[in-house]
Amino acid sequence: MGERDDAGSVDRVIDCVCFDFDGTLVDSLDAAFNAYQVVGPAFGCVPLTREDLKGLRGLHLREVIQALGLPFYRVPRMAQRMRQAMRAELMETPPVAGIAEVLDAFARPGRRLGVLSSNAESSVRDYCARHGLERFDFVVGGASLFGKSGALRRILRRQSLQAGALLYVGDELRDLEAARAVGAAFAAVGWGYTALERLAAAGPDHLAATPAELLALANSLGSAPR
């Protein structure tokens, strides 16, 4: 089954579905929060409570960084330290409930599945092996926080894909922006780092408030014809 683009005039056949990792496949917010309590003070960031997280979920990542009082030039180093600090807890955090069934539904004959993450490729593969999510044809790790569009372009090249044949699934506005930058379709999920309302206002191609809604999308796409 094809998929209409925003103009409603061109059918997309989705040959590849690429997933963000943190917040999309795994609910890593607690691990990130706990890592922040350790790493944040060393970078001069403002104290953060769990109640504060509710307000931050309505913001773009750039706005979050500003709210935390972190100079942008220090972002790459802090992101690296955060990933190191949260790795152990992340490995013990179960996948989002129902996500395995979602992956099975997307994995139709002729369609590839992938992961794009700022985490190291080895960490993502270790996590998937530990939690029974070994369904991916490729894993791309080490993407910079604001460099996902470049990573998506490399995926298109390496997988010999047209942009219109790629569906990117993510939980943040920067994921949506990356998909738009390369011409891919985007499915926003509402259980991750960015609030569903903020994602909806940005106009994604698809919006899933729950894994069940993402599963319905997977079933509606059907098999990619060959």
Side-chain angles (χ1 to χ4, degrees), residues 20-102:
D20 171 59
F21 183 72
D22 283 302
T24 301
L25 298 180
V26 53
D27 183 3
S28 56
L29 190 58
D30 280 347
F33 175 81
N34 292 334
Y36 180 85
Q37 305 309 307
V38 176
V39 175
F43 286 82
C45 295
V46 302
L48 187 64
T49 67
R50 292 191 179 275
E51 187 65 25
D52 295 329
L53 291 178
K54 297 178 182 178
L56 294 180
R57 289 191 70 235
L59 303 180
H60 190 287
L61 180 60
R62 292 185 183 88
E63 298 169 321
V64 172
I65 291 168
Q66 291 175 334
L68 296 178
L70 179 66
F72 275 89
Y73 76 89
R74 302 198 75 185
V75 168
R77 179 58 179 157
M78 181 170 173
Q80 180 184 40
R81 290 279 302 278
M82 285 282 293
R83 286 192 292 270
Q84 293 169 347
M86 66 188 289
R87 188 183 190 280
E89 183 176 352
L90 181 65
M91 286 295 166
E92 299 302 323
T93 303
V96 170
I99 206 67
E101 291 78 9
V102 168

